[in-house]
Amino acid sequence: MVKIPSSEITPEHLYLSRRAFMVGAGSLSAAALIAAGCASPSLPGAPAAAAGAEAESNAASAAPRITFSELPEALSYDEPFATSDTDDLGDALNSYDEITNYNNYYEFSTDKQEVAVLSTNFNTLPWQVEVTGLCNKPTTFDIEDVVKRFTQEERIYRLRCVEAWSMVIPWVGFPVGELLRAVEPKAEAQFVKFTTIVRPEEMPNQRRAVLDWPYVEGLRMDEAMNDLAIFATGMYGKPLVVANGAPFRLVVPWKYGFKSIKGIVKIELTDTMPQSTWMLAAPREYGFYANVNPEVNHPRWSQASERRIGELGRRDTLPFNGYGEEVAHLYAGMDLRANF
Ligand SMILES: Nc1nc2c(c(=O)[nH]1)N[C@H]1C(S)=C(S)[C@@H](COP(=O)(O)O)O[C@H]1N2
Ligand SMILES: [Mo]
């Protein structure tokens, strides 16, 4: 049996149970309380956790659960993308089934293997992305226009979740900087704030106080303008499935996965550092930067190594997730322990 770290079994589970107690004293309904409680079935090392680990280790071989013919034609690409078998380090790509069936998307579920099923009825069309704030040309884009107007390219990136698992994913998308340049940022714009859609009818956990909705994330302007930061619209040459953030999500490969916000409907240029959802939820555990850093542990688990989905052993975690050459200069002179 493969040993899975407790960190991974129920993501952020201690946080969730703490929150259930906190809000339970106030306004939260009994149903919501139970829901939050259910998201935290066990403490690290408890027998129930071991059972969960067993189930999780089978994720890689689970049968696909989505009918991919349902992907919207309006968001598909003219050109086929030449998928390489590996990333820049020679690591094999994860399979389409792995990438689409093991997801963090708390709006649907805190169970990574349940997101695919619970998200099949979510509507990705019509979809608009409002780009606003400190810019000369605030614009609202229809997603079909985004896919046509900005040249879509393949980017094979490692994704390293803060829970210490990882995947290699062949995204299709385009640099964040291209979209930002289109709205002409003002000089005062120092940060970019991203917001996920609110649609409780289609996102079951938005009917519960699992997190403060909508999910919000942010980048410093120079991080957003770095060529590695992309908006993804597809994966493996096809439009994204909802579980991976369709139709429009951020991918910032040198940061922990929670920065790569899904289902984006609003992008705001601002002079103030945005407070992200996970910063607000657990400030001691999740900072604004969230750069992958094997030397700075999560307060409840080590970040020195990770489990690549589909592999048995563990691998060493690389500084900046292996993208240091491209991005380390963004943090020159900064204390990366204080700015975790
Ligand atoms: N809106 C939203 N975006 C989100 C999340 C979420 O719960 N809600 N989870 C994040 C986390 S923790 C991770 S690891 C990645 C997972 O992306 P993937 O499922 O495409 O691999 O999405 C991130 N984006
Ligand atoms: Mo994550």
Side-chain angles (χ1 to χ4, degrees):
M1 179 191 140
V2 184
K3 257 281 196 193
I4 313 277
S6 56
S7 65
E8 205 180 310
I9 287 155
T10 306
E12 287 85 33
H13 60 274
L14 277 185
Y15 151 71
L16 285 172
S17 43
R18 226 173 21 240
R19 179 177 170 82
F21 283 117
M22 275 157 38
V23 291
S27 59
L28 199 67
S29 71
L33 239 179
I34 289 160
C38 284
S40 35
S42 62
L43 295 170
E54 183 67 30
E56 266 201 335
S57 67
N58 292 329
S61 55
R65 300 181 211 137
I66 303 175
T67 322
F68 297 113
S69 54
E70 290 164 13
L71 293 176
E73 199 151 327
L75 301 180
S76 64
Y77 313 103
D78 295 336
E79 69 270 57
F81 291 95
T83 306
S84 150
D85 292 342
T86 65
D87 68 5
D88 51 304
L89 300 180
D91 292 355
L93 303 187
N94 280 94
S95 71
Y96 194 78
D97 290 345
E98 287 167 340
I99 298 166
T100 55
N101 285 290
Y102 192 82
N103 306 96
N104 275 331
Y105 203 160
Y106 275 29
E107 285 85 338
F108 292 100
S109 176
T110 55
D111 177 344
K112 286 183 268 296
Q113 295 186 81
E114 203 176 59
V115 171
V117 170
L118 289 178
S119 62
T120 45
N121 291 326
F122 181 85
N123 289 306
T124 54
L125 289 173
W127 191 279
Q128 292 190 319
V129 182
E130 180 189 6
V131 191
T132 180
L134 298 171
C135 59
N136 294 323
K137 292 187 172 167
T139 311
T140 297
F141 296 90
D142 285 318
I143 186 64
E144 296 95 321
D145 296 337
V146 168
V147 173
K148 279 198 211 96
R149 171 166 169 181
F150 300 98
T151 306
Q152 305 291 308
E153 57 186 284
E154 188 161 69
R155 294 284 185 103
I156 298 174
Y157 285 157
R158 294 171 290 288
L159 180 138
R160 171 45 160 95
C161 176
V162 76
E163 296 158 0
W165 55 267
S166 62
M167 294 200 205
V168 181
I169 304 182
W171 301 109
V172 180
F174 65 103
V176 171
E178 287 190 22
L179 185 88
L180 296 184
R181 269 188 289 274
V183 300
E184 297 180 7
K186 293 185 175 166
E188 310 93 89
Q190 293 181 48
F191 296 93
V192 191
K193 178 181 173 185
F194 307 90
T195 307
T196 294
I197 196 166
V198 177
R199 206 187 273 165
E201 330 76 71
E202 294 182 15
M203 298 173 126
N205 268 354
Q206 283 189 340
R207 306 194 284 265
R208 305 172 186 125
V210 175
L211 287 170
D212 282 323
W213 310 118
Y215 195 99
V216 168
E217 259 306 337
L219 293 174
R220 221 169 54 191
M221 194 68 183
D222 59 339
E223 297 179 314
M225 299 305 275
N226 185 279
D227 181 66
L228 284 187
I230 60 165
F231 289 119
T233 63
M235 199 265 295
Y236 264 113
K238 304 175 213 212
L240 287 177
V241 297
V242 176
N244 291 114
F248 190 69
R249 61 93 54 91
L250 180 70
V251 180
V252 199
W254 69 94
K255 293 176 178 285
Y256 291 120
F258 68 85
K259 297 292 290 183
S260 292
I261 179 175
K262 299 174 174 182
I264 298 169
V265 288
K266 191 171 181 186
I267 299 167
E268 239 176 309
L269 295 157
T270 160
D271 56 6
T272 319
M273 180 182 278
Q275 297 290 304
S276 69
T277 296
W278 281 109
M279 286 167 75
L280 292 167
R284 280 186 52 258
E285 303 187 6
Y286 308 102
F288 176 79
Y289 285 95
N291 292 316
V292 175
N293 189 342
E295 291 179 5
V296 177
N297 291 331
H298 188 279
R300 292 183 276 123
W301 59 83
S302 167
Q303 294 293 26
S305 70
E306 66 200 55
R307 184 174 70 96
R308 178 67 47 84
I309 299 302
E311 289 182 358
L312 294 182
R314 293 181 74 81
R315 316 171 150 246
D316 288 345
T317 287
L318 304 173
F320 299 108
N321 203 21
Y323 300 100
E325 224 167 277
E326 291 90 340
V327 300
H329 69 272
L330 296 170
Y331 313 101
M334 275 176 65
D335 176 352
L336 297 181
R337 271 178 198 281
N339 297 284
F340 61 93

